[in-house]
Amino acid sequence: MQITDEQKKIMAIIGVAILLLGILYLIDCLIVFQFGLLGHFMFFVGLYVFIKNTIRLFVFPGSYWLWRRNVENRYAKALAKRANKRMEDLQNLIRKLLQIPDTKEIYVEDLVPIKKTLQSFLNTFSSLNCRKELNEQQKYLFGLCQQLEQNLKDFLIDSKSLYDQLDNPQEVINYCKLTIQVDSEQCSNLLLILDNLVNQLQEIYIPKNIILEAERWIFNKTLGTVDQMRVELENTFKTRRFKVQGYDGKQIDCLYIYANEDDTENDRAVIFCQPNAGYYEYMYYESEWIDYYLKRGISMFLWNYRGYCESQGLPNTKDIMKDAESICDYVTSQLKVNQLIFHGESLGGMVACHLGRVRQCNLLFADRTFSSISKIAQVGFSKYASFLFKLLTSWDYNSAKSYVECQSYKILALDQKDEVIPFLSSLKVDVTKQIFLKEFGGSYQNDENFKQSDHRYTFCQKLLRYIPWIPKSESTIFYDIWYSQLLNKQEMLTFFEANKRIQYIMKDLQTERSKKTLDDSYSAYMNESQDIEKSFSQNQSSTNDIDEVTQLAGPYTLSEKEKSNENLLKFVNKVYECFESFETASMTLNDVFSAFSESQQYDVFLDYLLSIFLWGSYIPLKNIPKKKMNTVVCQKLAFARFTSNINKIETLIKNDKNNLDSPNGTRLIQDLELIIQRLKLIRENFKKTLKNQHQHPSHQSVQIEMKDSEERKSTSKINESLKTYLGSFIPLGCGHNGNLNQTEVEVLDFHMLQAGVVKY
């Protein structure tokens, strides 16, 4: 019997688990042998401490000295390489002035940064020296920089110092081309100093053997230290550093950067919440946000989580969020800021969402963040990792609930191909579920269809569902409501499998993979949307009778003749284009099946379908600021495109049906007809259920008075209520740690303007 890849994977996991258990058992036996029965207790306590610290390392790596040293060394090498290049360029200049043959050619762009680099070192080390924070390695480098500066000032060319002439490098280069007399002794002194400087800088980054590399990693603190980077921030901007007392008396290290150097009483500020491995000292080099906010006249409040650098305590989500509350209170009461932005990136998004729920702000910006830490563990590793995290810590937090409950203007930014946060654990996915549960969870328990979801779960999960004191998980409730309100289990299975089969045949036929720009006329879509709204209520009961049994067949098996069938190829290419036009939140129907693993596609498919009606359409992104499109407009646009593409597929089937006379061609038409029928049914059930939910006074969401004569007006109110929960969405393409491109920045500026925190 052939072993499948999945079975091999399971066998490997079991083997590793047995090996680990064996090692743990051996350690336990050794401790018991040494300490008797007390050894069992010591073993389990030690194991608990080890596992919890391992979890802390994954969740809050920045709180560990090893991580900080890693960051410091990374920046030390980068700074040393850059500075070494400047010093070598200066060496070449001196050699050129001495008319030494075979000297490397120099250019203006090589000489421009030299003086700035030297001055930056001098200012930084001087500030550290004044604070008595300069270590011996930095003192030596500082001394070399001082000698270099003085010698450059003493080196005169045409009665002007070389130091001053570096401000105009072209003039110095012109001197190199002339036969001029220079002081050879001064040049020799300069070259000697530069040799020492280059050697000192190269000592920081040149490759070494593993022992010397480890020694350098631990002990070399010449460049890149948090103290140096903090001083560079303070020397670059107008800042104020202070400690804010946390709720339990722990001191939190903070830095306030003023947007206006002439006015220390800025009325607008952003409280920036760092990623889990971030320190505010490195923000100027690691992200674009300092430049972004300061250029728009918004001051920045930066802080390190407890346990990070000079902030006291040990990090956990509960204490960090309480610290954030204390910081927010300090900013409003002591710094007199009356317009606040909460911006959280990655882990910081969880902190910012909490602040948005418990404190007033003008704008909440959840930037490439997740719904909960346990969800990342579940999606990124396994459900067992999620269970272990919840069992051993109390650090889990549902950011989606806080985001939905925040009543301020809010922005959610996401890259669906984020390489750090899996899509299914992103904040966007759980916010979609939260709103779906809020809007559709009225009376699903009374519907018999929700029981059809039972066979999706294990026996233990089914059993737990009937124990009254154990609440059902939100994931279970989500599927129950979906199957009772939109499509039942059987309908969803056939719908999903039909899409998978069509994706398979498109891949098999190597159809065109050119992305559509969706640059159709915006006004045309809006007019089309209004026409659809009128005809929608007249056709609510129109559904097709599809043979369910035939739709559960396996994938297509194409013959060589079919693969060369021009009619089939053209038809499938047109289908691909239509599927590519089914765009919502920057994801197309094709993306669902091409960008995600097979095990994730069903859940991504559900999120995709909900996003059509909740988040709306965002391609082309440039239209958001250009046409002042808010979430409601994006919803209408998605609905218009949704219906337009259904019509395109129906027309395509009608025109080409007779040309596809093969068995697979017939199956393809059947699958497309089923997909169209299911899409229409979801659309009808979505709008019908949403309106019914808003008619009931007991419903927990915003109440809307419904009148038959004002159906269009009521739909608009429903959209507005959803906008309050959803906020605004910005699809990104920069990955988890990249910088926003120009179009994405323009969209962010548009939302900042809508929130009233910037003025143009």
Side-chain angles (χ1 to χ4, degrees):
M1 182 180 67
Q2 187 177 5
I3 300 175
T4 64
D5 290 339
E6 185 67 24
Q7 289 173 328
K8 289 179 182 178
K9 182 179 178 182
I10 293 172
M11 290 170 64
I13 293 173
I14 293 173
V16 172
I18 292 173
L19 178 63
L20 288 175
L21 289 173
I23 294 172
L24 291 175
Y25 177 75
L26 180 61
I27 295 172
D28 182 41
C29 290
L30 291 173
I31 297 175
V32 171
F33 178 78
Q34 186 71 27
F35 298 98
L37 292 178
L38 181 63
H40 287 303
F41 175 76
M42 296 172 63
F43 169 76
F44 285 108
V45 169
L47 182 63
Y48 170 78
V49 171
F50 173 77
I51 294 176
K52 189 163 184 178
N53 274 278
T54 302
I55 294 174
R56 178 177 276 120
L57 177 62
F58 278 102
V59 180
F60 303 107
S63 63
Y64 285 83
W65 175 84
L66 290 173
W67 183 271
R68 193 180 85 181
R69 280 302 299 147
N70 182 60
V71 174
E72 288 178 330
N73 275 275
R74 177 161 51 88
Y75 273 93
K77 290 181 178 181
L79 291 171
K81 282 183 181 179
R82 186 180 65 183
N84 185 68
K85 173 68 168 57
R86 308 292 181 246
M87 297 306 108
E88 287 180 344
D89 290 335
L90 186 54
Q91 281 179 320
N92 286 331
L93 174 63
I94 305 300
R95 291 192 180 103
K96 277 285 185 183
L97 289 170
L98 285 171
Q99 304 295 322
I100 297 176
D102 300 326
T103 302
K104 182 182 175 182
E105 195 63 41
I106 55 175
Y107 303 96
V108 172
E109 57 268 23
D110 295 331
L111 302 181
V112 168
I114 291 175
K115 188 173 179 179
K116 182 179 179 182
T117 300
L118 177 60
Q119 198 59 53
S120 175
F121 276 174
L122 288 168
N123 292 340
T124 300
F125 290 142
S126 178
S127 298
L128 287 171
N129 192 41
C130 291
R131 302 177 189 185
K132 300 187 180 193
E133 296 176 352
L134 208 61
N135 61 45
E136 291 301 318
Q137 296 158 332
Q138 291 171 334
K139 284 180 181 178
Y140 179 68
L141 187 60
F142 184 33
L144 290 175
C145 290
Q146 287 177 314
Q147 292 178 42
L148 178 60
E149 181 190 38
Q150 189 59 50
N151 276 265
L152 287 172
K153 288 180 178 179
D154 293 340
F155 192 154
L156 300 179
I157 302 176
D158 196 18
S159 72
K160 189 176 181 182
S161 73
L162 180 57
Y163 184 81
D164 292 333
Q165 294 200 42
L166 286 175
D167 293 326
N168 184 10
Q170 186 59 57
E171 186 176 346
V172 183
I173 292 174
N174 292 336
Y175 280 127
C176 294
K177 297 176 182 178
L178 303 174
T179 305
I180 60 171
Q181 294 294 324
V182 294
D183 191 322
S184 59
E185 185 178 348
Q186 285 185 319
C187 286
S188 298
N189 289 336
L190 273 171
L191 289 174
L192 181 61
I193 294 169
L194 286 168
D195 283 339
N196 291 333
L197 253 175
V198 167
N199 290 336
Q200 180 75 358
L201 292 170
Q202 288 182 348
E203 186 67 21
I204 298 172
Y205 71 88
I206 57 172
K208 295 186 176 184
N209 64 52
I210 188 169
I211 296 176
L212 293 177
E213 188 72 39
E215 182 183 2
R216 177 172 65 185
W217 193 89
I218 297 172
F219 298 110
N220 194 314
K221 298 182 180 180
T222 309
L223 292 177
T225 63
V226 288
D227 293 329
Q228 178 198 343
M229 306 307 282
R230 187 189 307 114
V231 167
E232 284 199 13
L233 265 180
E234 292 172 329
N235 289 341
T236 306
F237 305 102
K238 182 177 179 61
T239 63
R240 176 185 166 194
R241 187 188 176 202
F242 44 82
K243 301 287 180 71
V244 173
Q245 184 170 299
Y247 80 99
D248 57 353
K250 295 290 190 296
Q251 298 295 311
I252 307 303
D253 185 25
C254 308
L255 187 75
Y256 192 65
I257 305 179
Y258 294 95
N260 189 343
E261 292 188 3
D262 299 326
D263 181 13
T264 58
E265 298 296 330
N266 286 276
D267 62 344
R268 292 176 294 160
V270 54
I271 296 178
F272 189 87
C273 304
Q274 302 279 349
N276 64 344
Y279 309 101
Y280 77 68
E281 287 87 351
Y282 297 93
M283 258 200 73
Y284 186 61
Y285 293 94
E286 288 185 336
S287 78
E288 67 202 297
W289 296 119
I290 291 181
D291 276 344
Y292 176 84
Y293 283 112
L294 296 189
K295 285 179 180 177
R296 286 152 183 81
I298 301 171
S299 301
M300 287 200 77
F301 191 97
L302 309 178
W303 57 296
N304 283 329
Y305 300 138
R306 56 173 54 211
Y308 284 55
C309 291
E310 294 192 20
S311 293
Q312 298 175 347
L314 286 175
N316 63 73
T317 54
K318 176 184 174 183
D319 290 344
I320 287 175
M321 287 175 182
K322 287 186 177 181
D323 291 339
E325 294 174 23
S326 300
I327 283 169
C328 184
D329 295 338
Y330 182 92
V331 170
T332 52
S333 62
Q334 301 298 318
L335 300 179
K336 308 300 181 184
V337 173
N338 52 44
Q339 282 191 306
L340 266 180
I341 300 170
F342 301 147
H343 182 166
E345 185 176 341
S346 193
L347 177 82
M350 176 181 67
V351 183
C353 287
H354 172 77
L355 273 180
R357 183 176 63 86
V358 300
R359 293 291 187 272
Q360 291 293 321
C361 68
N362 298 82
L363 173 66
L364 166 63
F365 184 11
D367 182 13
R368 289 163 283 186
T369 185
F370 48 81
S371 56
S372 66
I373 301 173
S374 64
K375 196 66 176 290
I376 287 186
Q378 177 184 330
V379 178
F381 298 95
S382 72
K383 59 183 178 182
Y384 304 109
S386 176
F387 171 77
L388 189 66
F389 175 79
K390 291 180 179 178
L391 179 68
L392 296 177
T393 74
S394 57
W395 300 346
D396 210 23
Y397 183 84
N398 192 328
S399 301
K401 283 187 177 179
S402 292
Y403 178 91
V404 171
E405 291 174 11
C406 174
Q407 297 299 304
S408 307
Y409 195 103
K410 49 198 176 187
I411 303 170
L412 193 159
L414 165 77
D415 184 345
Q416 70 181 34
K417 296 179 181 178
D418 193 312
E419 68 279 9
V420 175
I421 298 175
F423 176 76
L424 286 175
S425 61
S426 66
L427 180 63
K428 182 257 180 187
V429 171
D430 256 30
V431 166
T432 305
K433 286 186 177 181
Q434 287 289 327
I435 295 172
F436 178 74
L437 294 173
K438 183 184 286 288
E439 297 297 326
F440 285 73
S443 57
Y444 79 95
Q445 295 92 339
N446 299 324
D447 195 305
E448 290 296 320
N449 284 332
F450 86 94
K451 296 179 181 178
Q452 296 183 36
S453 64
D454 283 356
H455 67 273
R456 181 181 176 86
Y457 309 103
T458 65
F459 174 78
C460 292
Q461 289 172 320
K462 293 177 188 177
L463 186 64
L464 289 174
R465 293 176 59 167
Y466 294 99
I467 300 177
W469 59 85
I470 297 182
K472 295 170 70 175
S473 71
E474 287 188 352
S475 179
T476 303
I477 295 173
F478 172 78
Y479 289 114
D480 288 346
I481 297 176
W482 182 283
Y483 297 141
S484 66
Q485 302 293 341
L486 296 182
L487 289 180
N488 64 39
K489 182 77 173 181
Q490 182 71 7
E491 290 172 329
M492 271 307 304
L493 277 176
T494 54
F495 182 29
F496 178 69
E497 290 299 327
N499 276 280
K500 281 186 69 174
R501 285 195 297 274
I502 289 179
Q503 292 292 328
Y504 176 85
I505 195 173
M506 287 193 295
K507 181 179 180 181
D508 199 33
L509 291 175
Q510 296 294 309
T511 54
E512 287 185 31
R513 289 295 186 260
S514 57
K515 286 276 185 183
K516 280 179 68 68
T517 60
L518 302 183
D519 249 338
D520 304 85
S521 168
Y522 171 77
S523 58
Y525 268 128
M526 290 300 97
N527 293 333
E528 185 178 4
S529 179
Q530 294 172 3
D531 294 337
I532 294 162
E533 293 284 348
K534 290 178 181 178
S535 61
F536 175 66
S537 58
Q538 301 172 5
N539 301 301
Q540 280 195 352
S541 60
S542 61
T543 59
N544 299 324
D545 185 18
I546 305 294
D547 183 359
E548 301 287 354
V549 179
T550 60
Q551 300 307 321
L552 289 173
Y556 295 89
T557 304
L558 297 174
S559 65
E560 292 301 321
K561 182 179 178 181
E562 286 178 310
K563 289 182 180 180
S564 60
N565 187 318
E566 287 297 324
N567 290 332
L568 183 61
L569 285 170
K570 289 179 181 178
F571 182 79
V572 173
N573 271 319
K574 291 176 183 177
V575 172
Y576 176 84
E577 290 180 2
C578 290
F579 278 25
E580 196 68 15
S581 299
F582 275 105
E583 176 268 333
T584 173
S586 80
M587 182 186 293
T588 69
L589 186 53
N590 290 326
D591 289 335
V592 173
F593 297 92
S594 63
F596 300 94
S597 65
E598 191 170 345
S599 61
Q600 296 179 336
Q601 286 173 4
Y602 186 77
D603 290 314
V604 174
F605 187 55
L606 296 182
D607 175 78
Y608 165 83
L609 292 171
L610 282 182
S611 295
I612 293 173
F613 303 101
L614 295 180
W615 293 101
S617 183
Y618 290 83
I619 293 179
L621 189 60
K622 62 185 178 183
N623 275 354
I624 304 297
K626 182 179 179 182
K627 300 182 181 297
K628 297 180 170 48
M629 293 167 61
N630 59 23
T631 306
V632 173
V633 178
C634 289
Q635 289 169 353
K636 292 180 178 178
L637 179 59
F639 185 78
R641 288 179 174 169
F642 178 85
T643 304
S644 173
N645 282 298
I646 287 178
N647 294 337
K648 287 178 184 177
I649 294 176
E650 287 181 322
T651 303
L652 184 62
I653 292 172
K654 182 179 178 182
N655 293 340
D656 293 10
K657 187 173 184 178
N658 295 330
N659 297 329
L660 305 176
D661 53 358
S662 66
N664 280 311
T666 304
R667 286 186 65 198
L668 180 59
I669 295 297
Q670 288 179 332
D671 278 337
L672 286 172
E673 289 176 341
L674 182 141
I675 288 171
I676 291 169
Q677 187 262 348
R678 294 290 189 265
L679 288 172
K680 288 181 177 180
L681 193 57
I682 287 178
R683 178 186 64 186
E684 294 163 6
N685 288 339
F686 188 95
K687 295 193 72 175
K688 180 174 62 177
T689 306
L690 195 61
K691 289 176 182 178
N692 289 340
Q693 291 291 346
H694 280 269
Q695 282 181 308
H696 292 90
S698 60
H699 191 246
Q700 59 182 331
S701 62
V702 179
Q703 300 302 312
I704 299 174
E705 294 182 2
M706 301 288 292
K707 296 181 180 179
D708 294 337
S709 60
E710 298 179 345
E711 184 173 340
R712 184 178 301 279
K713 185 178 179 181
S714 67
T715 301
S716 175
K717 288 183 178 180
I718 291 173
N719 287 336
E720 288 292 342
S721 73
L722 289 176
K723 177 187 172 184
T724 303
Y725 299 133
L726 287 162
S728 300
F729 180 71
I730 304 180
L732 304 178
C734 54
H736 190 71
N737 298 311
N739 292 336
L740 276 61
N741 63 35
Q742 184 59 39
T743 302
E744 292 162 352
V745 169
E746 289 173 4
V747 174
L748 178 57
D749 282 339
F750 164 71
H751 290 301
M752 299 275 284
L753 183 64
Q754 295 294 107
V757 293
V758 295
K759 299 177 179 64
Y760 292 106

